[in-house]
Amino acid sequence: MRVSVIGCGYLGAVHAACMAKLGHEVVGIDVDPWKIGELQAGRVPFFEPGLPELLEEVLAAGRLKFSTEMADAQGAQVHFLCVGTPQRKGEYAADLRHVDGAFAALLDSLEPGNVVVGKSTVPVGTAARLAEDLAGRHPDAVLAWNPEFLREGFAVKDTLAPDRFVYGVPDGGPGERATAVLDEVYSAPLALGTRRLVTDYATAELVKSAANSFLATKISFINAMAEVCEVTGADVTVLADAIGMDERIGRRFLNAGIGFGGGCLPKDIRAFMARAGELGADQALTFLREVDDINVRRRMRAVELTRTLLDGSLLGKRITVLGAAFKPDSDDVRDSPALNIAAQLQLQGAAVTVTDPQAIDGAQVRFPELTYERDLDEAITEADALLLLTEWDEYKGLAPEHAARLVRTRNILDGRNVLDSRAWRAAGWNYKGVGRS
Ligand code: UGA
């Protein structure tokens, strides 16, 4: 099929390459000429395992090209809207300027019978509004909402073999046509058994908001348990293992630590609360405010634990933060808990050095006042405390005896509870995890 992908950020670049991998002829469109130049040259402007190889493969096969011109979407039967929906400045609500702008521009390039497929995370009600606009301009085109559930670090796998597809479509013939077209687009993963649900627009939009809210709630739940463990001497990692053995609960997303960050969970729960407020259902989601609060408290708690490790004072102390990305296998530093903690420590008088295998360039732009060091050994040399805040494999595999020879004082805060505390203590370290005595 001939497919266009509007917006070539994280979601769009991955989606475009994956659609080409599925055998479609794809054009990726973005207003940013630099991004398009990089992608067309086979360079991925962010770190995502497996994507550079995939991009090279589909570019070489001639099935994918990129353009800054919306007119190049002409000729495609299916148009995927993959633009970002960031948090509005000074508000909780989502900023829909990119969605509205891209959609309006796309209207000029549509041809009879085209299917427009929204993938961006939007407030419930957006699809119905856009469908009305579409009907006014192109009565024979149809809109579907097909939310994306990819995780950074696993984006290619999550796109080619997702847990499920959700199609939000209108009633009747147009809905059936959109469903048939999407089934054809995704025929390969569907043939492998990927489940798919066909719903109305509002349900499809809400599936995405609900899924991210549930994941955020699960993380904040275990972090709330960590707070209780900290005052009782219990161990949150054992607690998570034990409750996770109950299949109804499940162990995944029960890792206590410094909380969630990134470009999705924090802004999505806030946008969901804002939308519920607009709809008069704000009471239904007040618990998400607590989820957000617990999450933000983890960052302050990490600062306090570091102060305790350093005998009550941060002033003039040399602290090395291991990890700047919001999670491993990503160079994304949007709302990164690790960087937020690093900045707070620096503001409170410590001299903070940050290291990360992929995220230093992005981190430097956001927090230029911090010191950055790419080499791990260099970064930890003469430190008074190490803080493991993003669980990259190289930090999980750090040998306590080796690190002990480099630092000034053997203090370590394991902000993700991923180190073997006994091994670190045996090597003479003052080890602190989170939510454990
Ligand atoms: C999240 C969702 O997991 C995806 O399903 C969704 O498609 C995506 O948002 C999106 O809306 O686009 P992502 O932001 O890539 O994906 O990251 P996650 O793997 O969900 O991690 C989010 C944060 O939670 C990270 O900071 C991570 O360190 C933290 N986390 C995760 C924990 O603190 N504990 C856990 O047990 C799991």
Side-chain angles (χ1 to χ4, degrees), residues 122-142:
V122 291
V124 57
T126 305
R129 173 171 65 76
L130 297 179
E132 241 177 72
D133 292 354
L134 185 65
R137 283 284 297 279
H138 298 277
D140 48 8
V142 52

Side-chain angles (χ1 to χ4, degrees), residues 154-176:
F154 301 90
V156 172
K157 179 201 158 284
D158 284 353
T159 306
L160 292 175
D163 292 336
R164 74 300 207 189
F165 290 111
V166 176
Y167 305 167
V169 297
D171 285 339
E176 282 165 21

Side-chain angles (χ1 to χ4, degrees), residues 121 148-153 158 164 208 212 215 219 222-223 251-265 268 295 326-328 337 391 416:
T121 301
E148 180 56 59
F149 304 101
L150 68 81
R151 296 160 297 168
E152 295 189 13
D158 284 353
R164 74 300 207 189
K208 174 67 195 231
N212 275 2
L215 293 172
I219 299 169
I222 201 65
N223 280 328
R251 179 63 178 83
R252 295 175 73 190
F253 269 67
L254 279 185
N255 294 321
I258 56 169
F260 58 81
C264 302
L265 298 191
D268 285 354
N295 192 50
F326 83 106
K327 69 172 191 181
E391 66 276 35
R416 299 286 187 175

Side-chain angles (χ1 to χ4, degrees), residues 56-72:
E56 196 183 330
E57 178 192 328
V58 293
L59 283 171
R63 284 201 301 275
L64 175 59
K65 60 181 182 157
F66 291 95
S67 168
T68 51
E69 299 300 323
M70 188 62 95
D72 287 329

